[in-house]
Amino acid sequence: MAPILSGKRIILGISGGIAAYKSVTLASRFTQANALVDVIMTHSAAKFVAPVTFQSITQRSVATDTFEFWHDAGRLRIGHVALAHAADLFIIAPATAHTIARLALGLSDDLLSITALSYKGPMLLAPAMETNMWTHPATMHNVQTLRDWGVDFIGPAEGRLASGEVGEGRVAEPEEIFEVACKVIGRGGPLDGLRVLITAGGTREPIDPVRFMGNHSTGKMGAALARAARDLGAETVLVHAPLAVHPPGGVTLVPVHTAHQMYGAVMERLPKTDVLIGAAAVADYRPTDSADRKLKKSPKQQIITLERTPDILQTVGERREETRRHPRLVIGFAAETNDLEANAVDKLTKKNLDLIVLNDVTAPDSGFAVDTNRVTLFERDGSREAWPLMSKDEVAQAIMQRVVARLGRRNWKRPRQPSQVDEP
Ligand code: PMT
């Protein structure tokens, strides 16, 4: 769920291309997120998908005609003006070359373009067209003009096009558009201007070219945190080991495999990080020697010698004094099977964290791989708070509210940047 969209008014403009059918899924996603979706279709879009399809999905009228009046709060209003003034976000998906050109020229010769011209808020376009049309200097120029005005774009992607050819011009997938829409609408939120780095997933330590030591982390918890930070306006980086879930859109993704790589990726970005959250399950040990060829079966016992990997959060914690308490907030997770509270508090202190989130990974509905989590929060002042079972998205949103309470826009000033953070 994306609470950022709940109650928001979204205009979903649909211009004429075969990709119009994908916007049915998009309209459905927004509607399920409790947004009010007003669909405007061009006449050619209505040849690809019938307006009644969108009407059924959104449970709202679909507009195609400039000369329509709308009943709103008992008053008769001019359709395009009423829609444009009420909307929180304007999306056009698919946006054809022609529609993009009309927007860039400020034309207003149909309901979609006239509403766009009357609208002042955030706008997101998902172009879809044949490759030569997309790369044509006229289209590139129009896209740049719109970008300069602050319009956001997603895609187009490479892939099979309506012509049967393969190239750049395919509309972004509905889920990607949905995710980027959350980011666009979240701009200016309480974490706007803050840089949040989250680690996610289980690191993989190679034994040989085909085997590794790993753990059960899927990255669900970390991905949920990244979405929650993004939706509150934070500039979000997700440093992730291989994920078993779709990575969130609208965040900077930094893929890694091993604990060493994750350490390097975090340390490199540390001077530009205000909030660090370690949700990754990082290997504490790795094979001392990773074989460069696949190990063969043998009747003899195989012994793998292990060596310690760097502890990312501990290193950050140790350096916080010399980096003028930068990041300003460091939050860890504790995945425990026994002596839960004692172990969590021990990690909070040893790693010099501000907050640790304990999850009991032996509970079937909590911890690794499941969609829910039951967590207890421990703070430096000795306070503790047990939360009920929630979805990982809800846990992530509640943790982000903690971040807002500590560092939200009214409460923070960016500290002086440390000049650099040394390698160990
Ligand atoms: O990914 P999911 O399937 O959704 O599962 C979520 C989760 C169970 C992995 C997540 O909720 C969680 O608990 N993550 C932390 C798991 C863990 O490794 O905990 P730990 O107790 O071993 O480590 C304590 C903290 O130190 C963690 O924030 C960890 O990221 C960090 N750490 C650990 C070792 C290391 N070498 N470097 C670290 O930074």
Side-chain angles (χ1 to χ4, degrees):
M1 266 312 244
I4 183 75
L5 294 176
S6 183
K8 295 284 179 353
R9 291 195 64 155
I10 298 176
I11 298 176
L12 177 57
I14 300 172
S15 50
I18 180 61
Y21 81 93
K22 289 194 176 179
S23 294
V24 176
T25 307
L26 188 58
S28 167
R29 275 297 263 129
F30 286 133
T31 307
Q32 284 174 42
N34 295 326
L36 296 176
V37 186
D38 288 308
V39 173
I40 299 179
M41 303 181 79
T42 62
H43 287 292
S44 30
K47 291 194 173 150
F48 286 97
V49 182
V52 70
T53 307
F54 287 102
Q55 209 161 313
S56 314
I57 296 278
T58 62
Q59 301 283 298
R60 296 172 72 77
S61 334
V62 170
T64 51
D65 193 349
T66 313
F67 301 103
E68 276 178 51
F69 282 78
W70 286 54
H71 288 277
D72 189 13
R75 284 175 57 193
L76 203 59
R77 295 173 189 272
I78 304 169
H80 67 272
V81 177
L83 280 182
H85 290 190
D88 298 294
L89 176 63
F90 199 138
I91 301 177
I92 305 183
T96 58
H98 186 61
T99 293
I100 290 172
R102 283 188 302 151
L103 296 185
L105 287 172
L107 298 183
S108 52
D109 53 356
D110 70 354
L111 182 62
L112 184 57
S113 54
I114 199 170
T115 312
L117 205 58
S118 317
Y119 172 78
K120 279 190 154 180
M123 182 177 263
L124 174 63
L125 301 189
M129 64 198 77
E130 190 265 334
T131 308
N132 288 348
M133 291 170 81
W134 172 247
T135 55
H136 194 286
T139 307
M140 290 288 104
H141 176 79
N142 292 331
V143 167
Q144 194 54 50
T145 301
L146 293 171
R147 279 193 206 279
D148 292 345
W149 293 343
V151 173
D152 283 282
F153 281 80
I154 167 146
E158 283 225 9
R160 193 182 156 80
L161 305 173
S163 60
E165 297 197 1
V166 174
E168 201 180 3
R170 201 178 150 86
V171 76
E173 291 304 316
E175 195 54 35
E176 291 172 60
I177 301 174
F178 178 85
E179 293 254 327
V180 173
C182 292
K183 174 186 172 136
V184 171
I185 214 164
R187 272 195 204 124
L191 295 184
D192 187 40
L194 281 178
R195 295 166 300 198
V196 177
L197 189 153
I198 292 151
T199 67
T203 60
R204 295 179 173 185
E205 309 303 325
I207 296 169
D208 68 15
V210 299
R211 302 180 180 93
F212 58 83
M213 280 173 52
N215 59 67
H216 296 294
S217 172
T218 55
K220 283 183 182 179
M221 192 65 245
L225 286 161
R227 283 194 295 271
R230 172 202 69 195
D231 291 357
L232 294 175
E235 202 181 300
T236 308
V237 177
L238 184 66
V239 176
H240 66 89
L243 300 174
V245 288
H246 204 68
V251 313
T252 304
L253 298 172
V254 183
V256 298
H257 280 86
T258 65
H260 262 95
Q261 289 168 355
M262 186 171 273
Y263 176 89
V266 172
M267 290 304 156
E268 189 187 325
R269 288 161 184 83
L270 208 54
K272 292 193 169 169
T273 299
D274 298 298
V275 180
L276 172 63
I277 307 182
V282 189
D284 289 321
Y285 292 92
R286 67 172 186 178
T288 307
D289 295 306
S290 158
D292 51 13
R293 289 179 171 204
K294 184 178 170 188
L295 295 174
K296 292 290 167 208
K297 276 198 278 285
S298 101
K300 282 199 250 154
Q301 197 181 26
Q302 278 276 7
I303 293 176
I304 300 174
T305 314
L306 303 178
E307 65 183 13
R308 282 297 309 266
T309 55
D311 191 310
I312 303 165
L313 289 194
Q314 182 143 350
T315 311
V316 172
E318 283 162 6
R319 294 179 179 189
R320 287 179 81 190
E321 303 313 323
E322 52 192 272
T323 55
R324 296 183 189 87
R325 286 195 55 74
H326 200 85
R328 301 193 60 205
L329 204 56
V330 183
I331 300 177
F333 272 73
E336 303 296 341
T337 55
N338 54 287
D339 302 322
L340 309 182
E341 296 196 4
N343 284 336
V345 172
D346 188 47
K347 284 175 183 166
L348 175 75
T349 317
K350 274 200 183 128
K351 300 191 188 213
N352 195 15
L353 307 173
D354 297 292
L355 181 72
I356 195 153
V357 182
L358 163 70
N359 34 209
D360 175 0
V361 293
T362 60
D365 52 7
S366 210
F368 292 112
V370 289
D371 290 326
T372 49
N373 215 353
R374 190 191 305 272
V375 301
T376 306
L377 272 64
F378 296 86
E379 304 227 20
R380 288 303 287 270
D381 63 6
S383 59
R384 104 196 244 296
E385 207 176 296
W387 289 353
L389 185 70
M390 294 193 266
S391 72
K392 282 186 175 167
D393 279 323
E394 288 166 339
V395 171
Q397 286 148 15
I399 290 173
M400 282 306 154
Q401 285 308 326
R402 285 292 166 113
V403 175
V404 170
R406 294 244 191 148
L407 297 184
R409 209 170 27 203
R410 275 169 305 148
N411 307 339
W412 74 279
K413 276 200 214 117
R414 197 183 291 290
R416 258 187 69 209
Q417 293 294 306
S419 51
Q420 72 178 96
V421 175
D422 302 329
E423 285 297 308

